[in-house]
Amino acid sequence: MARDVNQALAREFGLSADEYQRVLDIMGRTPSLTELGVFSVMWSEHCSYKSSRVWLKTLPTKAPWVIHGPGENAGVVDIGEGLAAIFKMESHNHPSFIEPYQGAATGVGGILRDVFTMGARPVANLNALRFGDPALPRTKRIVDGVVRGIGGYGNCVGVPTVGGEIDFHPAYNGNPLVNAMTVGIADQGKIFLSAAAGIGNPVIYVGSKTGRDGIHGATMASAEFGADSEEKRPTVQVGDPFTEKLLIEACLELMATDAIVAIQDMGAAGLTSSSVEMAGKGGVGIELDLDAVPQRETAMSAYEMMLSESQERMLMVLRPDRQEVARAIFEKWDLDFAVIGHLTDTGRIVVRHRGVVEADIPLDPLAEQAPLYHRPTEETPRPAPLGPVADPGGLAEALMTLVGCPDLCSRAWVWDQYDSTVGGQTVKRPGAADAAIVRLEGRRRALALTSDCTPRYVLADPEAGGAQAVAEAWRNITATGALPLAITDNMNFANPEKPRIMGQFAASIRGMAAACVALDFPVVSGNVSLYNETEGKPILPTPAIGGLGVLEDAAQAVGYALAPGLELVLLGETAGWLGQSLWLREVAGREEGAPPPVDLAAERRNGDFVRGQILAGRVRACHDVSDGGLLVALAEMALAGDTGVSLRPGPEGVAPHAFWFGEDQARYVVAVADAAALLAAAAAAGVPARQVGRSHGADLTLPDGHTMSLASVRAMHERFFPAWMGVESA
């Protein structure tokens, strides 16, 4: 690739004129093509967080149970019995728009590597997906490819996909979101970090060979899309889950020895980011000989090898006396193993290829002089609360509309393509509980896992929406009986150079931080994905939250499936808040008003009460009340248990449609054998409570006397995806 290095090429690589001048100042000369490539990817938004770092630093990241917070490949928390949970969420948005199958598949592969590179065996995958208008043929193609990609990679690598979420909105027409989350388990004394150490220690390349796929993928992920976005397929990586499975086993086998000094996934920016970050964190230099890099294509240049994002590759620093032990392990697993360099005391990265020095860069300035922007922010005006809205059609008609709409319909078509039980430890699979429950092998202890965000709330009020996303993740974990411990986040926003967008980001962070503090739910890892715009059209601001909690005994976990003969109690205050609700959008045809207020003290009080009742064995089923409101939550419980319900009238002073479809926060529906005892306990704890019905029969009997067969509700609920994808006869 013979190109003259100048400001025009730097701009093409994503560097501004000021950033390119900073490169010239650091180098004291015009950089080589490879050096320019290194600076461009390391200073990209995707790798440097240059627009978001100032805000991310305000998030609470510490707690007694946090072992490693942000800064490592993934977050690490103490889950008891000498074990640690290691988890993170990352985006693969732009690649999944360009090439849905491989974009989603390699997103799963990348987040798996972030977790097992720290010594954890992956035990669960989740995902948070946002797609455009289902009426568009492109949306169907993207959904089909993404779902197949997630299933194809996760199923083959043998890690269960146990949970997630899917939303649809026209704002994602040109920019879907694919956020992948992985959770792994490790011994607390066997956690591996990325800081390189030991002058002279060998630098080892393991895994697959390097090709030309994914070159400048990090730069592509740091820019808006235009009309030519679908021509960027060469920047999308190609994954091989079978090689990933071998890599997991080989790495974990090597980690059982004392050979590894440091280890890093070759993720975004590939060999560049892994070598620069390892050496930089360790305060050492690094020399690489690219002639030794295993290559699957001929005549690759230094530039191509340094920037390739070929998958299933790791970089590690080993003890010299353990090098042959490591080589034997990787050769046993039929993986490449190559010594491609060593650590130095120069504080520089030096790259040689065919006897020529292709890059010689000081590491400290590369990191310390990386751009950091305090971008202008513009606050989103808080919308006025919605006034009274007339009910156009009654409770039964609205319920059928809601349970059948794309945002609330059954996701069975999706999760049936994922193996949610491989490994044999999944206790609550998709569709059974508000959070997935995964038992730790050989133990009673279990993890509760969820992903949550309500982007329409964030658009209307970013601060309230950020707080609500954290609170809902906390609530979903609590609804199973688990104790919430920590979150990972994936901050998906549009162009940060626009003050309105940067204002959304900053306000969302404020809301998230407040909720994390109030709920003792710190942030331990995360990812920022900006420039999610196509031809100037932004996505909805989407701070996706991945939550993790722990149960001492998996047998105590509850789901939301009803059994006959139980009494149903609503916990939490209901004012009938219809602003930004799905009822307002799907039934009344309006998207407006303020989202429901988030009372963090009420969230904590109500949730702690619910968890205590579950762990005391008094709750047979529990479901948080969120999208669609109370009646949708009850219908979901009835469908999950194949049991009908009879409902009582709501309170005086709240319109029936507002009571049953409002999306007030901090609420749960619990099914108990003795409602009187629960109501008394709730009153003593200061938790608002109201009996709303009981479970029996095969019908939904609404408070207005209308009776609907559960079979008819199920048919509506399960219709959308099979009909849309043309598999109704399957």
Side-chain angles (χ1 to χ4, degrees):
M1 182 178 178
R3 301 286 299 274
D4 291 333
V5 174
N6 51 36
Q7 185 172 311
L9 183 61
R11 178 68 267 177
E12 190 178 320
F13 282 11
L15 294 172
S16 69
D18 288 344
E19 290 168 351
Y20 180 60
Q21 183 58 53
R22 192 176 301 185
V23 172
L24 296 177
D25 293 342
I26 290 171
M27 299 299 293
R29 57 176 170 79
T30 300
S32 69
L33 178 68
T34 301
E35 289 168 338
L36 182 66
V38 170
F39 274 100
S40 71
V41 293
M42 295 308 299
W43 287 5
S44 69
E45 194 74 61
H46 190 76
C47 291
S48 74
Y49 295 153
K50 57 191 175 186
S51 297
S52 58
R53 291 205 311 272
V54 294
W55 295 105
L56 297 176
K57 289 179 180 178
T58 66
L59 288 168
T61 60
K62 298 183 184 301
W65 52 90
V66 174
I67 298 172
H68 292 289
E72 284 298 332
N73 284 298
V76 185
V77 295
D78 180 351
I79 56 171
E81 299 182 8
L83 298 177
I86 300 180
F87 68 111
K88 188 181 181 183
M89 181 185 284
E90 272 204 346
S91 61
H92 234 219
N93 303 335
H94 283 41
S96 298
F97 176 66
I98 297 167
E99 178 46 64
Y101 183 94
Q102 289 295 349
T106 53
V108 174
I111 196 63
L112 281 165
R113 290 192 298 279
D114 277 341
V115 167
F116 76 74
T117 193
M118 296 189 70
R121 177 170 291 280
V123 298
N125 289 331
L126 295 90
N127 51 75
L129 311 176
R130 268 85 194 182
F131 301 111
D133 184 351
L136 298 179
R138 173 194 280 172
T139 301
K140 188 195 307 193
R141 177 182 66 82
I142 292 172
V143 170
D144 178 59
V146 165
V147 170
R148 286 189 297 108
I150 291 169
Y153 204 101
N155 296 353
C156 291
V157 85
V159 177
T161 300
V162 298
E165 53 179 338
I166 301 176
D167 289 336
F168 293 87
H169 194 279
Y172 302 108
N173 282 349
N175 207 125
L177 301 184
V178 176
N179 296 169
M181 175 177 165
T182 291
V183 182
I185 303 299
D187 289 337
Q188 291 183 21
K190 285 291 241 179
I191 294 169
F192 291 81
L193 306 180
S194 56
I199 305 306
N201 277 347
V203 176
I204 310 296
Y205 171 120
V206 299
S208 290
K209 289 178 169 58
T210 294
R212 291 188 170 96
D213 53 320
I215 293 173
H216 264 298
T219 306
M220 180 267 291
S222 305
E224 286 186 35
F225 274 160
D228 64 345
S229 57
E230 295 193 19
E231 298 173 10
K232 297 184 178 181
R233 281 187 173 82
T235 62
V236 178
Q237 309 92 331
V238 178
D240 180 352
F242 299 104
T243 299
E244 181 102 339
K245 175 61 174 172
L246 299 179
L247 189 59
I248 291 173
E249 299 305 330
C251 286
L252 292 177
E253 183 175 338
L254 183 61
M255 287 166 171
T257 73
D258 60 352
I260 297 175
V261 176
I263 183 168
Q264 176 80 31
D265 164 41
M266 286 193 225
L271 187 53
T272 290
S273 64
S274 56
S275 57
V276 166
E277 290 174 6
M278 289 176 76
K281 287 179 180 178
V284 298
I286 188 168
E287 289 198 9
L288 301 177
D289 179 3
L290 299 187
D291 295 346
V293 170
Q295 300 162 54
R296 68 167 182 261
E297 300 185 45
T298 59
M300 289 190 71
S301 68
Y303 169 88
E304 290 172 324
M305 280 187 275
M306 290 300 290
L307 271 68
S308 168
E309 294 184 8
S310 294
Q311 297 292 284
E312 294 87 41
R313 302 180 301 158
M314 310 285 278
L315 196 66
M316 53 181 74
V317 175
L318 297 182
R319 289 177 47 180
D321 60 336
R322 295 292 186 268
Q323 184 174 309
E324 293 311 310
V325 171
R327 184 190 302 274
I329 289 172
F330 281 89
E331 288 180 351
K332 181 186 78 172
W333 289 100
D334 200 23
L335 295 167
D336 278 296
F337 178 99
V339 181
I340 66 167
H342 62 277
L343 301 184
T344 70
D345 61 0
T346 64
R348 305 178 73 86
I349 178 170
V350 177
V351 178
R352 290 185 170 84
H353 186 220
R354 298 173 184 162
V356 176
V357 175
E358 295 283 358
D360 186 348
I361 303 171
L363 288 168
D364 280 350
L366 181 61
E368 293 171 6
Q369 296 183 39
L372 178 62
Y373 294 123
H374 294 73
R375 296 201 186 275
T377 60
E378 176 186 312
E379 292 291 323
T380 299
R382 291 196 168 178
L386 192 70
V389 182
D391 182 0
L395 300 183
E397 182 179 327
L399 177 62
M400 293 295 266
T401 297
L402 286 168
V403 298
C405 78
D407 275 6
L408 289 176
C409 69
S410 168
R411 272 82 173 106
W413 177 86
V414 176
W415 71 56
D416 283 350
Q417 297 185 57
Y418 304 155
D419 190 336
S420 61
T421 59
V422 62
Q425 304 306 311
T426 305
V427 177
K428 299 290 185 186
R429 62 189 298 267
D434 283 339
I437 304 295
V438 178
R439 182 188 290 108
L440 306 186
E441 189 169 5
R443 301 172 189 256
R444 296 166 64 188
R445 191 168 296 262
L447 299 179
L449 310 169
T450 187
S451 65
D452 295 286
C453 185
T454 312
R456 63 185 186 276
Y457 291 176
V458 188
L459 179 67
D461 186 335
E463 186 167 348
Q468 190 274 340
V470 173
E472 186 170 354
W474 189 88
R475 198 185 315 139
N476 279 331
I477 291 169
T478 292
T480 67
L483 176 67
L485 291 182
I487 67 169
T488 182
D489 62 57
N490 207 139
M491 306 294 291
N492 306 274
F493 287 77
N495 187 340
E497 297 167 44
K498 299 177 179 178
R500 178 174 58 86
I501 303 302
M502 205 63 227
Q504 292 173 344
F505 186 95
S508 295
I509 291 283
R510 289 198 305 269
M512 290 166 55
C516 289
V517 169
L519 301 173
D520 283 334
F521 205 29
V523 182
V524 297
S525 61
N527 174 249
V528 176
S529 175
L530 301 177
Y531 294 97
N532 288 290
E533 293 195 17
T534 297
E535 298 182 6
K537 297 177 181 177
I539 63 162
L540 300 183
T542 310
I545 303 298
L548 178 143
V550 66
L551 268 163
E552 293 188 6
D553 187 347
Q556 293 181 300
V558 300
Y560 54 70
L562 290 178
L566 298 175
E567 297 180 313
L568 305 172
V569 176
L570 171 64
L571 298 169
E573 192 68 45
T574 300
W577 197 278
L578 291 173
Q580 297 299 330
S581 68
L582 282 183
W583 180 91
L584 188 70
R585 188 180 83 190
E586 300 293 331
V587 177
R590 298 161 58 180
E591 292 185 69
E592 58 187 276
V598 179
D599 183 336
L600 294 170
E603 289 281 4
R604 184 65 185 260
R605 179 195 66 215
N606 297 357
D608 287 348
F609 174 77
V610 167
R611 189 183 315 105
Q613 294 296 308
I614 292 172
L615 296 180
R618 301 187 186 103
V619 174
R620 306 289 182 84
C622 180
H623 197 6
D624 91 306
V625 181
S626 54
D627 281 352
L630 175 58
L631 191 51
V632 167
L634 287 161
E636 290 172 343
M637 296 175 80
L639 290 170
D642 199 24
T643 298
V645 298
S646 294
L647 300 177
R648 298 180 173 187
E652 297 289 334
V654 181
H657 63 289
F659 178 77
W660 292 104
F661 298 115
E663 295 182 5
D664 305 79
Q665 300 294 292
R667 296 187 300 161
Y668 304 79
V669 177
V670 294
V672 295
D674 184 353
L678 182 71
L679 292 170
V687 174
R690 179 184 186 88
Q691 187 169 355
V692 292
R694 61 188 301 269
S695 60
H696 68 97
D699 296 323
L700 296 182
T701 303
L702 303 184
D704 59 6
H706 194 106
T707 297
M708 313 163 66
S709 73
L710 200 58
S712 66
V713 178
R714 186 182 304 282
M716 178 62 76
H717 186 53
E718 296 179 352
R719 186 176 69 178
F720 172 75
F721 271 105
W724 189 41
M725 290 295 172
V727 292
E728 286 185 284
S729 60

